[in-house]
Amino acid sequence: MNPILLDFPTSFTTERLLVRMPLPGDGKIVYESIKVSINELKEWMPFAQNEQTEQMIESNIRDAHAKFLTREDLRLLIFHKETNHFIGSSGLHRIDWNVPKFEIGYWIDSRFSGSGFMTEAVQGITDFAFSNLKARRVEIRCDSLNLKSKAIPERLGFQLEGTLRNDDLSADGSRLRSTLIFAKIQ
């Protein structure tokens, strides 16, 4: 089946969060979040290595919106349900619709770090993948030194399947990194 024909919700809620596909116009709030969180993001996220403008982020958001509609990549933005504050970005990436399998990636606005929001969002996204997208496998990959990122799949009962040693460069390109691969299957 052609994945573009798949119908599934473009948003869902958890106890405290609204998780939805990116929409044109979201660039401003994502840009502001990146700007305040840049010091934390630079250590782990390749996109944070280069200065970006609000227009660049808006363009990226519109591209993500289009890819969501074509089912190439399912980026998701995370908002606090009551305040509507933007909390972070996540999504289902590196999709193989034949299995189907997905990889969850995520980053959080540093102002909301440590409150369990990303763990809650990742649990919701995992549930969404298994129930709405009929996933057979959901992965989370992270730098072995990123202890906060690593704690999320551990808390959620993902199984550590392996470590790819010296398989990539760190986000800033300054060192070799090892990648942890966590997975849940159904």
Side-chain angles (χ1 to χ4, degrees):
M1 169 186 263
N2 184 342
I4 203 166
L5 299 174
L6 296 173
D7 288 323
F8 50 82
T10 59
S11 67
F12 61 88
T13 60
T14 65
E15 183 181 340
R16 301 178 291 170
L17 305 172
L18 165 69
V19 181
R20 67 161 172 81
M21 75 177 199
L23 298 171
D26 284 337
K28 181 176 180 57
I29 56 169
V30 174
Y31 172 75
E32 292 299 325
S33 182
I34 290 171
K35 206 163 73 170
V36 259
S37 305
I38 196 66
N39 290 335
E40 292 82 5
L41 294 173
K42 267 190 175 183
E43 188 170 1
W44 310 113
M45 306 303 287
F47 76 82
Q49 302 310 305
N50 301 312
E51 191 170 330
Q52 299 174 44
T53 65
E54 185 177 330
Q55 292 75 22
M56 291 166 72
I57 300 296
E58 178 63 27
S59 175
N60 182 273
I61 288 290
R62 289 176 186 227
D63 185 54
H65 176 79
K67 286 180 178 175
F68 192 103
L69 295 175
T70 60
R71 311 307 194 219
E72 294 173 60
D73 186 83
L74 303 177
R75 186 176 315 168
L76 296 161
L77 301 183
I78 304 159
F79 297 86
H80 192 279
K81 218 165 37 175
E82 291 179 12
T83 65
N84 204 37
H85 285 119
F86 174 73
I87 290 176
S89 182
S90 188
L92 296 161
H93 313 296
R94 293 179 182 82
I95 299 170
D96 183 340
W97 288 107
N98 294 317
V99 174
K101 70 176 182 175
F102 307 86
E103 181 183 329
I104 298 177
Y106 42 85
W107 64 266
I108 192 164
D109 182 313
S110 57
R111 296 171 290 188
F112 297 98
S113 185
S115 299
F117 289 127
M118 194 53 73
T119 300
E120 182 177 331
V122 170
Q123 180 64 63
I125 293 166
T126 302
D127 294 344
F128 177 82
F130 285 124
S131 61
N132 293 88
L133 306 177
K134 308 301 180 224
R136 303 297 300 194
R137 177 180 176 85
V138 176
E139 290 183 357
I140 295 175
R141 294 177 179 229
C142 66
D143 187 316
S144 63
L145 300 179
N146 189 339
L147 301 181
K148 288 182 179 182
S149 187
K150 174 186 169 203
I152 291 173
E154 290 175 337
R155 262 187 236 114
L156 296 176
F158 279 70
Q159 182 178 349
L160 177 61
E161 291 188 336
T163 303
L164 302 176
R165 297 177 304 149
N166 291 348
D167 79 309
D168 203 353
L169 290 175
S170 59
D172 66 1
S174 67
R175 64 174 171 81
L176 281 174
R177 68 168 249 188
S178 296
T179 301
L180 303 177
I181 303 172
F182 294 89
K184 270 193 178 184
I185 61 170
Q186 262 190 355

